[in-house]
Amino acid sequence: MYSWNRMPDALKEQVFKHLDQLAAKANLSEADRIAYDKALDRFYVNRAVEEDILREGWEKGRQEGQRHIALNMKKAGIPYATIASCTGLSLEEIEAL
């Protein structure tokens, strides 16, 4: 109880909102609870898929950026070993640019 009395009011409000949501879920019929759980599962799966897609997009963009930098360095006459150490690309990838 001591911790509760020291807790900021905004945090107490969040706790009460969470408890209200739990109580509302507990009062659902079995069919509604199953539907709720399925909807919640779909939400988390969709969010995970979206995060994976974003991560793949970022990685693809990063790789394209590294190739672009390597190509500019190659045009500037910088040795391939230096380009490889700066960009993380292999010597074969640099030569293929």
Side-chain angles (χ1 to χ4, degrees):
M1 196 63 175
Y2 177 73
S3 298
W4 179 259
N5 290 333
R6 295 187 51 167
M7 190 180 300
D9 289 339
L11 189 56
K12 288 180 185 177
E13 185 177 327
Q14 289 178 0
V15 170
F16 280 120
K17 283 182 182 179
H18 182 69
L19 290 173
D20 187 45
Q21 290 172 348
L22 290 175
K25 183 180 176 191
N27 289 327
L28 292 175
S29 68
E30 184 177 350
D32 287 342
R33 186 175 302 181
I34 291 170
Y36 172 81
D37 289 338
K38 286 181 179 179
L40 194 59
D41 287 343
R42 279 193 304 270
F43 169 77
Y44 286 123
V45 167
N46 287 339
R47 188 166 73 176
V49 168
E50 289 173 357
E51 288 173 357
D52 286 345
I53 290 169
L54 285 172
R55 194 174 305 114
E56 288 172 9
W58 280 106
E59 181 61 26
K60 183 179 177 183
R62 187 191 66 77
Q63 290 172 352
E64 288 176 8
Q66 294 298 79
R67 284 190 204 91
H68 180 72
I69 291 167
L71 182 60
N72 287 339
M73 293 173 80
K74 185 177 175 181
K75 287 178 183 177
I78 297 173
Y80 288 4
T82 304
I83 297 172
S85 68
C86 291
T87 63
L89 298 176
S90 67
L91 294 175
E92 293 80 21
E93 289 175 303
I94 296 167
E95 290 173 1
L97 294 175

